[in-house]
Each structure stands twice: as structure tokens, then as C-alpha cells.
Amino acid sequence: MEREKYMREGIDLKRLILLFLKKTWVILLTGILGAVIGGLLYNAVVAYRSEGPQYRLSSDYFITFNFSEYENSSDYYNAYTWNGFLHDDPIVDAAMKYLPDTVKKEEVKDAVLGEMLGDYRVLTVHVTTKDPKLTEEIAYAYTQSLAEFADKIEMLTSVELWSRGTTELVKENNRTANAAFLGGLLGVLFTIIVLLILYLLDDSVYVEADFAKRYQIPFLGTVTNKKEERRLQEIKDNYQYLCKSPDGYYLVNVAMTETIENPCVPLLVSLCPGIKRQVFLKEDGFEKIRKSGGAILLIPYGKTNGKLTEKTIMTLQKQDCQIAGAILTDADDKFLKAYYLGRKE
């Protein structure tokens, strides 16, 4: 329920941005890590799926149509149908006659790809295999079979070899950079989402407004890491105005309520006349607070201590102990200066 209460406070956009800026190194680190993982995974998959080096030979054939008898012959033998014809039995079986007996028919079909790159009269046939010699043999066999095929088809006058390239090693497109970019982007987005969730669940106190939204307890001020004089003077002024009991006050550290004394205690005792020392919530601690003007809570800056603070307050109330105020300790000077920049404090 307390977490829900903190989440209902609304988002302090300026506080959120400053906290995110402090985690920039985390976002960059996960982005780099994601890029490395993305690149490694891509190369691992490519290596796993790779069939080894392959060799390709491309040949261009010029097709002469029998337009005198079949005006629409080019509509039937077009860019969409030729690749299918190249894998049909009439052409493949004719090609097999020019190949060694060790070559299988399915191997030939898998090796051949046909396409037309614009001119319906020019057919490009690509032959790709793992063996450069076999690649050349299939390319030669198709030259013969296509010529024979044209002789048998009335719509065609001839299919003649126009030009033939050289057998080349196939260079696969290396998309490591794309995979790395995607991995880095996913890493950054994942980190931002996680940080945003942690922010929504964070019940820490970073500034006075965080405490004032949750508790009806006077906020006396903030002790920064550098012990900024202006903020110490604010604590002194608020203490003198709000805490006038002649019986004095005891400090209660909500994050270390058992045996550890907050390092700020000596400074606050010397700064504010009437503050005695830190008291622990055990044995005679409650009795001392009841006989004094009350307790002043010490809230450590940026610690996830919302529930512990809540428990400390409820415990003091059960023991009929007055709570005179609260002080934020060990605050980040740079964060506070950035947060209050351009605002009167």
C-alpha cells in the first residue's frame, strides 16, 4: 500500500531527468554490452548456418521469340516464369546429359537461379555451388539444354549465350554492424525501462518535496556532503523557530536505528543548541524522547528507506513520542544545485 502511495505522488520530471543523468554511464555501458552481444550472436548464427564457401557463375542469354506466329509469346516466357522453367524437367533433364553421373538432379536444381533485370529478351542464369569446377560444368550444361529447349518450343526461335562471367567466390553481406546497432539499441531501451520502473518504485528522499508530500512533519533542512554553509544556516534558523522546548531534542536515524551513530550528529549537536545526541529506539530510548521536546528524524539522502521511515514514525507515535522535525543528511551537493537551479529555495 505504501508503494502505491508513493507512486500516486506523481512524477517529478526534473528529478527524474537528473536521476537518469546520474545513470548515464549505466545506459552507455548496457548499450555497449548489447552491441557486443548483438554482433557476437549474429556472427555465431551466421557461422552455424553457413555451408562453407560458395562459388557463383552468372551467364546472360539472349532470347529470340517467334513473334511471326505467336505475337504474345513474350507474355508467357517472362521474368516471372523463366526461373520456374529452369527447374522443370525438360531443361534439367537435358542439362543432366552434359554432367558427370555423380551429380544429382536435385543438386542441379538447387544450384540454378534465373532472373530478368529489365529486358524481357535477356535471361540471366546464376549457378552457385560449393565447388568452382561443378559450377562451371552446370553453367555449360545449361547453355546446351537451353538451346535444345528453344528448338522444341514453337514460341521461341532461339536461346543463345550472350555473355558469361567468371566463377567468383560469393561474398555474403556482413550485417554485423546492423546487429550490433540493434543490440545496443535494445540494451539502451531495456535499461531506460528498468530505470523508469525503479524510479516509480523508489521511495527514497532526495529533496524536501519528497518528504513533505508523504509526512505531516516539519522539514528542518538538509546537510550536504560538503556541509554547505547556506543549508546549515537554514537548519539552524528552522530549528530555532520550530523547536523551542526547554527539554531539548533527540536525534533518531531512521536508517540505522540500532547501534550506529549518524556521522552528522556531532555537527547538528554543535549547530543547534538543545539537541542532545542521537538516541536508539530500544530500552530507555523511548523514555528519553518522551521526557524531551521530541525526536528529530535523520533521513539519509537517496536511500530506499520509505518503509523504514514509515515504521519509525509509527513506532514513535505508538510510544507517545513527539516528532519535532526531520533533517535530510548526506545529500549530493551537485544534485541539489541542479534541481533547485533557477528556483528560490
Side-chain angles (χ1 to χ4, degrees), residues 211-253:
F211 186 85
K213 289 177 182 178
R214 303 169 193 169
Y215 312 106
Q216 300 301 314
I217 297 172
F219 187 86
L220 303 181
T222 303
V223 179
T224 66
N225 289 327
K226 295 183 179 180
K227 309 298 186 293
E228 186 182 350
E229 287 293 336
R230 182 164 56 93
R231 299 189 183 280
L232 294 179
Q233 185 61 45
E234 178 186 1
I235 294 175
K236 185 175 182 180
D237 293 342
N238 289 335
Y239 174 81
Q240 291 177 345
Y241 179 75
L242 298 172
C243 305
K244 300 178 181 179
S245 173
D247 297 323
Y249 300 87
Y250 285 98
L251 299 173
V252 174
N253 191 348

Side-chain angles (χ1 to χ4, degrees), residues 30-271:
T30 54
I32 294 172
L33 183 61
V36 172
I37 293 175
L40 291 176
L41 284 177
Y42 170 79
N43 283 280
V45 171
V46 170
Y48 175 77
R49 298 177 60 183
S50 176
E51 300 178 356
Q54 293 186 317
Y55 299 87
R56 177 174 297 163
L57 176 58
S58 300
S59 305
D60 291 330
Y61 293 88
F62 189 85
I63 305 170
T64 303
F65 293 94
N66 185 8
F67 288 123
S68 60
E69 297 183 26
Y70 300 93
E71 295 181 1
N72 299 320
S73 55
S74 61
D75 294 337
Y76 185 71
Y77 290 92
N78 54 44
Y80 299 99
T81 58
W82 265 114
N83 188 56
F85 292 139
L86 293 176
H87 293 83
D88 287 343
D89 288 340
I91 295 180
V92 178
D93 289 342
M96 295 299 295
K97 296 185 300 182
Y98 301 93
L99 294 170
D101 295 337
T102 55
V103 180
K104 298 180 180 179
K105 188 173 181 178
E106 290 302 320
E107 187 177 2
V108 174
K109 289 183 176 181
D110 292 338
V112 176
L113 174 67
E115 63 178 353
M116 285 185 168
L117 301 178
D119 192 336
Y120 67 91
R121 297 170 300 175
V122 179
L123 169 66
T124 301
V125 178
H126 305 285
V127 179
T128 307
T129 73
K130 298 179 182 179
D131 183 356
K133 182 179 179 181
L134 177 60
T135 299
E136 293 176 358
E137 290 175 342
I138 295 176
Y140 172 78
Y142 261 75
T143 300
Q144 306 305 316
S145 66
L146 284 172
E148 295 179 9
F149 178 74
D151 291 338
K152 296 177 182 179
I153 303 300
E154 294 182 357
M155 290 186 181
L156 302 176
T157 301
S158 64
V159 177
E160 300 176 335
L161 178 65
W162 192 10
S163 66
R164 175 166 291 164
T166 58
T167 304
E168 297 179 348
L169 180 65
V170 177
K171 295 181 179 179
E172 297 182 0
N173 291 331
N174 191 320
R175 299 185 179 181
T176 302
N178 293 347
F181 175 78
L182 179 60
L185 180 61
L186 291 176
V188 169
L189 292 177
F190 175 78
T191 304
I192 291 176
I193 291 173
V194 170
L195 290 176
L196 181 59
I197 293 174
L198 292 177
Y199 171 84
L200 295 175
L201 297 177
D202 188 7
D203 56 11
S204 305
V205 175
Y206 293 92
V207 293
E208 178 179 350
D210 294 334
F211 186 85
K213 289 177 182 178
R214 303 169 193 169
Y215 312 106
Q216 300 301 314
I217 297 172
F219 187 86
L220 303 181
T222 303
V223 179
T224 66
N225 289 327
K226 295 183 179 180
K227 309 298 186 293
E228 186 182 350
E229 287 293 336
R230 182 164 56 93
R231 299 189 183 280
L232 294 179
Q233 185 61 45
E234 178 186 1
I235 294 175
K236 185 175 182 180
D237 293 342
N238 289 335
Y239 174 81
Q240 291 177 345
Y241 179 75
L242 298 172
C243 305
K244 300 178 181 179
S245 173
D247 297 323
Y249 300 87
Y250 285 98
L251 299 173
V252 174
N253 191 348
V254 300
M256 298 175 286
T257 57
E258 296 298 326
T259 58
I260 303 175
E261 184 174 88
N262 190 299
C264 294
V265 170
L267 173 64
L268 294 173
V269 169
S270 62
L271 182 68

